[in-house]
Each structure stands twice: as structure tokens, then as C-alpha cells.
Amino acid sequence: MRRPVATHERWTRLLEILGEEGRIDVAQASDRLGVSAATVRRDMNELAGQQLLTRTRGGAVLSAVAYDLPLRYKTARRADEKHRIARAAAGLVAPGSVVGLNGGTTTSEVARELATRADLVSDAPTPSLTLVTNAVNIAHELAVRPHVKTVVTGGVTRPNSYELTGPLATAGLQGLALDRAILGVDAVHPQFGAATHDEGEAGANRALAERADSVVVVADSTKLGRRAFARVCPAEAVSVLITDTDASDEMVERFTAVGIDVRRV
């Protein structure tokens, strides 16, 4: 018996299919998602209302924004792997550190891990961790944590990722020194480096990387060996790459060959 599929999980998968194939009809979507045609029509109408796809007679076609899915539709994708990756990344952070975090589903999980880590939570009058972020959703979650000093960059909010980008974002990082930058990316390649789909995001994330003693990239195995439009940092700038156990030995060897410490969790 097939388990019921949550609404956001259906939406994510539907948008992913459109990103890969450009179009899909109701019957195909019903079969691939394991739900009724009526449910597919409702989902397509809802996503069309949010301008994430365009309805056609009997189906839907790709909308301009479907290639780079909004963060709220990415949360169900490889959730278990992202949680393990986030826990491993948070484990690298020592009490008293200054950490930079960009936006994304995995880095949001890193923030939650840091917010609840027992050795960081204390009744001391001073925070046990300083976290610098350009992601408004991460800042919102951590603002109520007294043991975390949360520093937010300026900038213009990018709706897809909740990240602040642009000159105000990079200017807000001038003069800061970070112990680690933990970065979520859209792609990471052993020659091209870490990259994202949007050049504005890449600029803000690059500023975090440049101000850190070490850069930790968190990326599930589907992002390895891929390139995206805008580079965040070259491969040689990455100290640690944390990914999941589906990463192949051959792919791991390509990253270790350029000096990156790869950890599969």
C-alpha cells in the first residue's frame, strides 16, 4: 500500500518533473505521484495561482521560476540526508565560535541543530555562539535563543531562498571575521567549485566565504559534480564537504584530489 503524499511533497515533485521535462499532463502526473487526477488538477491550479507553473489544456508547462524552486518547496526533498548532513556540520562548531550561515534547507537545519545543542545552551550572561547570516528565516528562528548572538546582514530579500542579497548584504559583512562559513549551494564541482543559480545569492555567499578561516559546504549527493550559473567560491577555498552516503567513491576521490576533506554521513 502506497503511503499518502503530503501536499508540499507533491508540489515539490511536480515542480521537479516540470523542471526536468518542461511539461506534463494530468494523467502522467497522477500516475507518477500516485494520487487522483482531481488532486493533480487542484495542485496545478494552486501552483499556477502562485505563478510557479502555467496551466495548459489537460496539464501544465514550465514557468520561468520553476527551475529554482522556492525554499518552502524544497524542504521535503532528501530530508533525512539533509538532517544528517546538518548535524555533522553543526558538530564542527566549537563553543565561542563565530559562524556564517547562508540560506537554504540544509543550512536552516544546521541553525536548528546549533540552537538546540546542549553544550551551547547555558545560563551565562554572554552568548556561547555568534552566528552571522543573510537568511531572514534563520535569523527569525534564532532571535529567541539567548545563547546565540545573531547578526544579520542588510540587503534585498530574495523570495526563493529568504536570503538578503545585493550591495547592502556584502557591505554588512565588511570588517567581520568568521571562524567558519557553513554554506548550502546548488552545485559543487571539483574544478568549478561551489555555485548557485542566482548571481545575487552567489555574491552574498562569496562574501561570507571570504571572511571565514574555513569554509564548510553542505550538499547532498545529487549536487556533486554539477555546475550552476554563478560561482560562490573555487574548489580550493573549500575545507570540508559534508554529503550523504550515496556519494560514489569515484566522486569523493575527485574532491579529495583537490584537497577537500569529504565526509559522508
Side-chain angles (χ1 to χ4, degrees), residues 32-100:
R32 294 175 70 167
L33 298 176
V35 296
S36 69
T39 297
V40 170
R41 292 189 189 94
R42 285 195 298 271
D43 288 346
M44 287 181 173
N45 290 339
E46 179 64 30
L47 292 170
Q50 297 182 45
Q51 299 182 333
L52 294 171
L53 56 76
T54 301
R55 286 289 269 123
T56 63
R57 185 177 179 85
V61 297
L62 182 68
S63 179
V65 296
Y67 177 63
D68 187 11
L69 297 180
L71 185 68
R72 63 188 180 276
Y73 299 130
K74 293 181 180 178
T75 54
R77 187 180 181 186
R78 300 183 69 85
D80 291 341
E81 291 87 346
K82 290 176 180 179
H83 184 71
R84 295 197 304 270
I85 291 168
R87 180 171 294 178
L92 298 177
V93 175
S97 296
V98 181
V99 179

Side-chain angles (χ1 to χ4, degrees), residues 13-219:
R13 182 62 188 133
L14 185 56
L15 290 170
E16 286 175 342
I17 293 169
L18 283 171
E20 295 164 0
E21 301 179 10
R23 65 174 57 246
I24 193 170
D25 63 38
V26 171
Q28 291 171 329
S30 175
D31 181 62
R32 294 175 70 167
L33 298 176
V35 296
S36 69
T39 297
V40 170
R41 292 189 189 94
R42 285 195 298 271
D43 288 346
M44 287 181 173
N45 290 339
E46 179 64 30
L47 292 170
Q50 297 182 45
Q51 299 182 333
L52 294 171
L53 56 76
T54 301
R55 286 289 269 123
T56 63
R57 185 177 179 85
V61 297
L62 182 68
S63 179
V65 296
Y67 177 63
D68 187 11
L69 297 180
L71 185 68
R72 63 188 180 276
Y73 299 130
K74 293 181 180 178
T75 54
R77 187 180 181 186
R78 300 183 69 85
D80 291 341
E81 291 87 346
K82 290 176 180 179
H83 184 71
R84 295 197 304 270
I85 291 168
R87 180 171 294 178
L92 298 177
V93 175
S97 296
V98 181
V99 179
L101 276 182
N102 68 341
T105 53
T106 308
T107 49
S108 295
E109 286 294 326
V110 173
R112 295 180 189 115
E113 289 288 330
L114 292 172
T116 57
R117 217 176 77 184
D119 63 324
L120 295 178
V121 179
S122 71
D123 296 325
T126 57
S128 56
L129 178 70
T130 300
L131 192 139
V132 180
T133 187
N134 69 323
V136 293
N137 65 311
I138 289 175
H140 174 74
E141 289 196 32
L142 294 181
V144 297
R145 304 287 183 173
H147 63 284
V148 180
K149 177 181 178 180
T150 304
V151 180
V152 187
T153 70
V156 178
T157 307
R158 185 167 184 265
N160 276 32
S161 63
Y162 306 145
E163 285 185 279
L164 298 168
T165 64
L168 290 174
T170 53
L173 292 164
Q174 297 294 330
L176 300 185
L178 311 178
D179 295 310
R180 289 186 188 274
I182 301 176
L183 303 178
V185 296
D186 293 315
V188 56
H189 190 279
Q191 276 73 53
F192 188 71
T196 187
H197 296 310
D198 181 78
E199 67 276 12
E201 279 186 18
N205 299 343
R206 187 180 308 118
L208 286 168
E210 289 172 347
R211 282 151 184 80
D213 283 342
S214 68
V215 175
V216 178
V217 169
V218 290

